[in-house]
Amino acid sequence: GENVEQHPSTLSVQEGDSAVIKCTYSDSASNYFPWYKQELGKGPQLIIDIRSNVGEKKDQRIAVTLNKTAKHFSLHITETQPEDSAVYFCAASRNSGNTPLVFGKGTRLSVIA
Amino acid sequence: GAVVSQHPSWVICKSGTSVKIECRSLDFQATTMFWYRQFPKQSLMLMATSNEGSKATYEQGVEKDKFLINHASLTLSTLTVTSAHPEDSSFYICSAPVPLGNQPQHFGDGTRLSIL
């Protein structure tokens, strides 16, 4: 089955700096890669996703890149703000998200004001 | 946008009690819902796939007689933790894919279950 590795497990950045979180996956049939932000005591909230027919996607300060050949994808957050502090999870699935997601172990991002 | 509602948000109960958690899709029909469990400072792990009108599919190592899933309608799936024990204390989260086109999965806000 699918295995998703995520690095780093913790990340501290100064406010205004960029943050990068990287994930790798094992199943070449996976075609859907969402990123979720989870705040304490809450469920995951989708922040951006990318499908295998696209190499990069951007939404304001957030961008995701996908390298299908290397089976890795990354989340980039620019101009970080204290409210970006949370745990971020990458995930992968087949069938464009209609099948269960396999999550990475998460990255705890702390943005220091 | 599509919303998934989960209830209750927090349950504290005595060991041996059975607890029911509800997951509702509020503005779309979900023939499939997923139940995940998350232990503190860990990732989400799939427990089971809930299928409307048929039996749930459980992941390896998840006891189907302990975690009863019922998906009786297109907008409601329930997870019942039977005879709960302290080791069942966890954060339970449901999600539902929107069945129209390439839509993302939407997650409920989770249920924190604490067994004393």
Side-chain angles (χ1 to χ4, degrees):
Chain A
E2 176 65 276
N3 181 51
V4 177
E5 300 282 344
Q6 183 172 347
H7 298 281
S9 56
T10 60
L11 179 60
S12 291
V13 298
Q14 290 292 129
E15 182 178 2
D17 286 351
S18 295
V20 180
I21 303 171
K22 299 182 178 181
C23 289
T24 60
Y25 62 98
S26 61
D27 185 354
S28 57
S30 289
N31 60 7
Y32 177 64
F33 308 93
W35 286 88
Y36 287 88
K37 176 183 181 182
Q38 188 179 30
E39 296 178 330
L40 192 64
K42 297 203 168 186
Q45 296 295 313
L46 179 73
I47 56 170
I48 196 167
D49 57 7
I50 192 167
R51 300 180 192 279
S52 59
N53 59 345
V54 175
E56 185 173 357
K57 184 177 178 181
K58 189 174 182 180
D59 182 4
Q60 299 182 15
R61 298 187 296 111
I62 296 172
V64 57
T65 59
L66 171 65
N67 183 326
K68 285 190 296 182
T69 303
K71 294 199 190 72
H72 65 69
F73 56 113
S74 300
L75 176 72
H76 303 251
I77 306 174
T78 58
E79 300 172 31
T80 54
Q81 301 166 3
E83 51 265 37
D84 294 328
S85 298
V87 179
Y88 292 80
F89 290 97
C90 62
S93 78
R94 300 183 176 191
N95 198 22
S96 295
N98 290 321
T99 52
L101 296 171
V102 177
F103 285 87
K105 290 188 183 300
T107 296
R108 182 172 298 278
L109 174 64
S110 299
V111 180
I112 303 164
Chain B
V3 176
V4 174
S5 175
Q6 196 170 333
H7 178 82
S9 57
W10 202 341
V11 179
I12 302 174
C13 58
K14 294 181 179 179
S15 184
T17 306
S18 292
V19 178
K20 180 185 282 188
I21 302 169
E22 293 186 348
C23 181
R24 293 181 186 274
S25 56
L26 294 187
D27 53 359
F28 65 100
Q29 293 184 331
T31 55
T32 300
M33 292 186 179
F34 304 114
W35 286 96
Y36 296 84
R37 181 167 53 184
Q38 185 179 30
F39 291 108
K41 297 188 178 181
Q42 294 190 26
S43 189
L44 287 78
M45 298 298 293
L46 180 70
M47 295 177 66
T49 300
S50 172
N51 304 298
E52 188 269 334
S54 64
K55 291 182 179 180
T57 306
Y58 291 83
E59 295 301 296
Q60 193 171 9
V62 177
E63 299 175 56
K64 62 180 181 181
D65 294 330
K66 182 168 187 62
F67 299 98
L68 301 179
I69 291 174
N70 185 288
H71 195 150
S73 79
L74 287 170
T75 59
L76 174 64
S77 174
T78 61
L79 168 67
T80 301
V81 183
T82 62
S83 186
H85 292 286
E87 58 266 28
D88 298 321
S89 298
S90 188
F91 195 50
Y92 293 86
I93 311 171
C94 68
S95 76
V98 179
L100 298 173
N102 289 329
Q103 299 285 333
Q105 281 188 31
H106 295 273
F107 283 80
D109 260 345
T111 297
R112 182 158 305 283
L113 177 61
S114 297
I115 308 298
L116 304 177

